[in-house]
Amino acid sequence: MAGKVVGSMSDWSGVLKDLFRQINDGSLTLEQLKALMEHRSPFVVLDSLLQEWSRFYKDYFELKLDFSDLNVSERQIGFERLIVIPQGLTMNQAYDVCAKHFPCWRYTDDLDKAVIRNDRTASSASYAVWLRDRKEADEELKNLSADQLAEKKIPGITLLERLLYELKYWSETGKHLDISNLTLCSGSRDVDGRVPHVHWGDDRLEVLWYYSDYYGGSLRSRA
C-alpha cells in the first residue's frame, strides 16, 4: 500500500524552505539532521546536563560550581554521555568520594602520585567529554591495547573520567559499570608507563593496571 503524504504541498514547501535556511545559517547542524533522519531526538539539552552536573558536585563533593559558560565540543552521533570535570579535581578526590558510598580498592594509595600522564586534565580549567552511554566498555575497542589505540589515534577515557562516570552512574541507577568487562583507561599512564583499568569485581570497584601493550577480549577502552 502506497504511503500518503500528510499536509499540503504548500505546507511542505514552507517547512523545507525553513529547513534549508537553518542548514545554511548553522542553526541546524549535520549531526542533528542525521539524528532526525534516524528517528532519534536531534537535540541533547546541554544546559540541563550542565545543571545536572552542578547539582552532582554540590551533593557529592560539596562544591558550588557553575558550568553555564563551559565550552563543550559538538556531540558526535552515538556519544550521548557527558562527563564534566571541574578545574582542580583530582583522582584521589574522586576515588575517596566513591569509597564513601561503595566498597573500593586501588593498587596504590596515591593515584595522583602514581598516574602522572593524562591526555586531558583539569589542572588549569574545567572541561567536558562525550562518551558512549554504556554500562560496559566499548565492544568496538576490544582486543586493542593502549599502544594500538594510540597508533590508531583513538582517544580514550582517562582514569579520572572513569571514576567520575562510575559515581555519576551509581547516583542515577544504584548500579555499577563494567560488571562483565574492564575499562582500559587508555588516556592515562602511571609512572612506569602502565595503563590503569577499572571494573566492578568481587563486590567492589577496583583500580588496577596492565602493561600498555596488553590486550584482551574483555579489556576495552571507552572512546
Side-chain angles (χ1 to χ4, degrees), residues 182-194:
L182 308 93
T183 289
L184 180 68
C185 301
S186 59
S188 298
R189 297 287 191 282
D190 74 4
V191 292
D192 296 315
R194 302 173 303 190

Side-chain angles (χ1 to χ4, degrees), residues 1 17 20 41 57 86 101 121 137 145 160 195 209-210 215-216 218:
M1 181 178 178
K17 182 178 179 180
F20 286 112
S41 173
Y57 282 112
H101 296 283
T121 73
S145 69
L160 177 56
V195 186
W209 59 265
Y210 278 114
Y215 61 88
S218 63

Side-chain angles (χ1 to χ4, degrees), residues 141-155:
L141 303 182
K142 66 182 180 182
N143 291 315
L144 289 172
S145 69
D147 289 344
Q148 291 171 319
L149 291 167
E151 290 174 3
K152 294 176 179 291
K153 301 187 184 307
I154 299 175

Side-chain angles (χ1 to χ4, degrees), residues 87-101:
Q87 182 179 355
L89 191 74
T90 68
M91 289 172 280
N92 285 339
Q93 286 176 297
Y95 178 91
D96 289 345
V97 174
C98 287
K100 288 181 180 179
H101 296 283

Side-chain angles (χ1 to χ4, degrees), residues 33-65:
L33 185 58
K34 286 180 178 179
L36 183 64
M37 297 299 292
E38 295 170 4
H39 294 246
R40 297 183 291 106
S41 173
F43 305 106
V44 172
V45 184
L46 183 59
D47 288 346
S48 65
L49 292 178
L50 294 176
Q51 291 170 10
E52 183 180 317
W53 274 99
S54 293
R55 290 192 297 270
F56 169 81
Y57 282 112
K58 181 180 179 181
D59 292 343
Y60 289 93
F61 292 82
E62 299 181 353
L63 297 173
K64 293 184 179 180
L65 301 169

Side-chain angles (χ1 to χ4, degrees), residues 11-25 27-28:
D11 290 338
W12 276 96
S13 177
V15 169
L16 292 173
K17 182 178 179 180
D18 191 49
L19 172 66
F20 286 112
R21 177 191 63 77
Q22 292 187 44
I23 292 172
N24 287 332
D25 66 21
S27 58
L28 184 66

